[in-house]
Amino acid sequence: MAHKLSIFRGLITFKSNVQKIWGVLIFLSIVTAIEVALGIIKPAFLLTPVFGMKGLNWIFIVLTIVKAYYIAWDFMHLRDEKRSFTSSIVLPLLILIPYLIFILLVEADYIYNIMFDGFVSWNF
Amino acid sequence: MQATTNIVENENVWDGGNKPLNASYGKMMMWFFIVSDALTFSGFLVAYGFSRFKNIDSWPIADEVFYHFPFLHGVNAPMYYVALMTFILIFSSVTMVLAVDAGHKMQKNKVAVYMLLTILGGAVFVGSQAWEWKNFIKGEYGAVETKGGQILQFVSADSGERVALSYFATTQPTDRSQHSAYNGLWYVDEATLLTYTVAEVQQGFLANPDLRIKTEMIDAGTGHKIVLDRAASEAKLSQAVNVVEGANLIRNEYGNRLFADFFFFITGFHGFHVFSGVVINGIIFFNVLLGTYERRGHYEMVEKVGLYWHFVDLVWVFVFTFFYLV
């Protein structure tokens, strides 16, 4: 079975599949270490809201998606599959999940405002 | 007379056994199961996000809930334990890929060794999660709950650190005893009685002037929970109706009731996936030892369970972010 041995758009090419696995492990470990370090330090300048959420939280979410990409592409071998197969797996998720996130979080924010502005006290 | 339908069969496409997308039937079905499971987990995590956004100014702060580390009792170490668990799971994912890779090369012994390491990693992860649950359920400090379901925690005025109920609550004589089948109604159950009553907590609080109440509400400026001054603390505590120790599905000492529900449900569902992954990996491991795949001529089963195993790792990456980091 032929493996594609390049990651980061060809920036790093490994000699064998086993080497690629260790390379991806190192990359995932670095990303996790960055997340943990940011989670412990919580730099003050990243705590200001950007698009309704703390800047730090956006960084966490982006890093999580980066990790998910490398797990799916290299550990689950999606990089080696036919493009049509990859798309039939990834596209439904890419379409449905952001949609679900969008409708539910907008609704939750709306409910928060209703409870906040309403005349009923929730804190008693 | 017989109605015959003349189906022109293209053996290359419909005769089974061929791979239109270059993936075998079993592998493709494993992928589509993973897609549906991914949507299930997204549903749970988005529901968690819904509840969190709905209570955005009072949701518990992860660092104040998960701060235990084995053998470091009383040390405030948020993040470290769960980071360790993440590394264990990612590492067991790596041994799984190595097993798949060895399978492509038909190296039976290597596959077996890597599968065994994967199973060990998974078992350690499930064990770690059990320990995390134990700490979460047991709680450490205790709190009280108001009539409106708000959790009030106790902190020291000087350090701002939480104070346990056992540190200040008085003990009043009571003749209330645990209701059980032999001394009460046989068809009525009662949960285990708590260590302290509300009156004992209130009395102890009044006797300790350096205690303050920490509310659920988050100060938008600092991002910390709001601590009331002494007069407001006493007024607030007089509204308490329940003592809460640790966490269950009804109430928890960390804050919003839904927080513990989602924690139990999502990490529990994920832990169940890890557990079933360990079981399935175990079955495949024994098949490897028995030489089933050697005789079959390929190790594709290892690849299929590998997909499931990586998926479990993938879900954990998201659970980790949304429960512990964000």
Side-chain angles (χ1 to χ4, degrees), chain A residues 4-14 69-70 79:
Chain A
K4 291 177 185 153
L5 297 175
S6 296
I7 60 170
F8 305 136
R9 296 195 168 272
L11 190 67
I12 301 177
T13 304
F14 295 99
Y69 172 83
Y70 282 98
R79 203 186 289 279

Side-chain angles (χ1 to χ4, degrees), chain B residues 135-292:
Chain B
N135 288 323
F136 189 82
I137 292 170
K138 190 162 152 271
E140 196 170 333
Y141 297 106
V144 293
E145 191 188 52
T146 65
K147 198 179 170 198
Q150 305 281 317
I151 289 292
L152 307 176
Q153 298 173 338
F154 301 94
V155 293
S156 153
D158 314 322
S159 62
E161 281 175 18
R162 280 185 71 186
V163 176
L165 293 182
S166 56
Y167 175 74
F168 65 91
T170 58
T171 324
Q172 290 171 357
T174 173
D175 46 8
R176 179 76 168 82
S177 61
Q178 176 78 41
H179 179 180
S180 57
Y182 75 89
N183 66 3
L185 300 171
W186 59 268
Y187 53 88
V188 178
D189 289 326
E190 185 184 43
T192 314
L193 287 181
L194 294 165
T195 327
Y196 303 103
T197 63
V198 175
E200 287 168 347
V201 173
Q202 285 168 335
Q203 204 179 47
F205 187 82
L206 291 177
N208 284 274
D210 60 333
L211 290 180
R212 299 286 182 274
I213 290 278
K214 184 150 102 175
T215 62
E216 277 187 17
M217 303 307 286
I218 296 172
D219 184 342
T222 61
H224 296 297
K225 299 272 178 181
I226 294 172
V227 177
L228 301 174
D229 61 31
R230 181 68 193 178
S233 296
E234 285 176 13
K236 197 79 187 167
L237 187 60
S238 65
Q239 299 165 2
V241 292
N242 277 312
V243 174
V244 184
E245 289 174 314
N248 54 39
L249 285 172
I250 300 169
R251 47 179 73 94
N252 66 83
E253 65 169 66
Y254 310 107
N256 197 302
R257 292 174 168 199
L258 286 170
F259 174 70
D261 296 347
F262 276 113
F263 176 79
F264 286 131
F265 196 65
I266 295 179
T267 65
F269 198 65
H270 176 263
F272 182 67
H273 272 74
V274 181
F275 172 73
S276 46
V278 168
V279 172
I280 297 167
N281 276 344
I283 295 168
I284 302 299
F285 170 68
F286 282 112
N287 273 335
V288 171
L289 287 188
L290 293 172
T292 311

Side-chain angles (χ1 to χ4, degrees), chain A residues 3-67:
Chain A
H3 289 290
K4 291 177 185 153
L5 297 175
S6 296
I7 60 170
F8 305 136
R9 296 195 168 272
L11 190 67
I12 301 177
T13 304
F14 295 99
K15 282 194 220 77
S16 70
N17 193 39
V18 175
Q19 278 197 351
K20 187 181 81 166
I21 293 165
W22 289 110
V24 172
L25 168 71
I26 291 168
F27 176 69
L28 291 179
S29 303
I30 292 171
V31 173
T32 308
I34 292 172
E35 283 183 336
V36 172
L38 284 175
I40 291 168
I41 300 167
K42 289 196 176 37
F45 70 94
L46 288 176
L47 296 179
T48 46
V50 184
F51 297 115
M53 205 163 43
K54 279 183 218 157
L56 189 60
N57 288 355
W58 284 113
I59 293 178
F60 286 145
I61 289 168
V62 169
L63 290 179
T64 303
I65 293 169
V66 168
K67 278 205 285 189

Side-chain angles (χ1 to χ4, degrees), chain A residues 18-19 21-22, chain B residues 91-105 107-122 281-282 284-285 288-289 302 305-306 309-310:
Chain A
V18 175
Q19 278 197 351
I21 293 165
W22 289 110
Chain B
F91 200 78
S92 87
S93 225
V94 166
T95 53
M96 188 78 234
V97 209
L98 291 172
V100 174
D101 188 73
H104 286 315
K105 296 174 192 150
Q107 296 163 326
K108 180 184 158 186
N109 292 334
K110 261 193 166 178
V111 177
V113 169
Y114 285 133
M115 286 293 291
L116 188 63
L117 286 175
T118 308
I119 293 167
L120 279 177
N281 276 344
I284 302 299
F285 170 68
V288 171
L289 287 188
V302 177
V305 292
W309 192 252
H310 298 311

Side-chain angles (χ1 to χ4, degrees), chain A residues 17-18 42 64 81 112 124, chain B residues 21 27 57 63 101 146 321:
Chain A
N17 193 39
V18 175
K42 289 196 176 37
T64 303
E81 303 293 353
Y112 167 77
F124 55 92
Chain B
L21 293 174
K27 190 166 146 186
D57 56 1
D63 286 354
D101 188 73
T146 65
T321 301

Side-chain angles (χ1 to χ4, degrees), chain B residues 29-71:
Chain B
M29 289 308 117
M30 178 54 91
W31 263 113
F32 289 140
F33 163 70
I34 287 173
V35 169
S36 73
D37 218 18
L39 289 172
T40 307
F41 270 108
S42 322
F44 293 157
L45 282 172
V46 177
Y48 170 80
F50 177 89
S51 300
R52 189 166 170 168
F53 270 59
K54 185 181 150 191
N55 301 289
I56 195 76
D57 56 1
S58 62
W59 200 251
I61 297 168
D63 286 354
E64 295 177 3
V65 180
F66 310 104
Y67 51 81
H68 297 89
F69 199 87
F71 310 114

